[in-house]
Structure formats: structure tokens, C-alpha cells
Amino acid sequence: MTRPDALSSRQEATLATIRDWIAETVESPSVRQIAETVESPSVRQIGGRVGLSTTSSVAYQLGRLEARGLISRTGHRWHSCRLST
């Protein structure tokens, strides 16, 4: 049984994918660069890396991470999500 505050394996994989994407996109990222210039991967790109076949399942995982305060987004689209600091 998992603790209520523990991330599921899919949530961990989704969060790691976003972190890895940022690390691959920005050579030496500063917090300001990440916040202002780096777009997160698309829902389909996340799904491909995590192994989720539907965009709705990826969106669900992103929604759970947003509800926990681990990511945020500036607009309605998930492409605008950022890691929370």
C-alpha cells in the first residue's frame, strides 16, 4: 500500500520526463530561463516517453501533479506547464 502523499509510478515518470525535457532543452538552465523560455513537452511527447497511449491519461497525470503543486501552467494548454519552485 502506498502512502497518500507518495507519487504513483506514472506521476513520477511524468514529472521526470518534464525535468529531463528541460535539462535537454536548456544547456545551463537558471530558474529564470526555465520560467520564461522553456516550453514543456507536448502531451503526446510525454505519453510516448512514459508509455501512456492516450492523451487523456497523460492529461490526467498532469492534472494530479498540478493539484499537488508540483507543476503549474500559465494557460489552458499543458504545453505551458512549468515545474513549481
Side-chain angles (χ1 to χ4, degrees), residues 7-8 10 18 20 23 26 28 35 39 45 48 53-54 57 60 65 72 77 81-84:
L7 294 176
S8 71
R10 286 184 177 171
I18 295 169
D20 292 346
V26 179
S28 328
E39 276 196 349
Q45 290 167 321
S53 59
T54 66
S57 61
Y60 175 80
L65 292 171
S72 61
R77 296 179 34 192
C81 79
R82 304 282 186 258
L83 296 173
S84 296

Side-chain angles (χ1 to χ4, degrees), residues 30-46:
S30 73
V31 173
R32 171 160 275 171
Q33 283 177 311
I34 291 170
E36 293 177 357
T37 62
V38 177
E39 276 196 349
S40 63
S42 70
V43 170
R44 290 189 189 279
Q45 290 167 321
I46 293 170

Side-chain angles (χ1 to χ4, degrees), residues 2-81:
T2 60
R3 294 185 351 230
D5 60 339
L7 294 176
S8 71
S9 60
R10 286 184 177 171
Q11 290 169 346
E12 288 177 1
T14 302
L15 193 57
T17 296
I18 295 169
R19 284 187 183 131
D20 292 346
W21 183 273
I22 291 169
E24 292 168 8
T25 305
V26 179
E27 194 169 303
S28 328
S30 73
V31 173
R32 171 160 275 171
Q33 283 177 311
I34 291 170
E36 293 177 357
T37 62
V38 177
E39 276 196 349
S40 63
S42 70
V43 170
R44 290 189 189 279
Q45 290 167 321
I46 293 170
R49 288 187 177 199
V50 174
L52 296 172
S53 59
T54 66
T55 56
S56 63
S57 61
V58 176
Y60 175 80
Q61 298 302 328
L62 291 169
R64 299 300 88 209
L65 292 171
E66 184 179 38
R68 290 172 157 240
L70 297 171
I71 62 173
S72 61
R73 54 184 164 162
T74 56
H76 182 68
R77 296 179 34 192
W78 283 114
H79 219 355
S80 67
C81 79

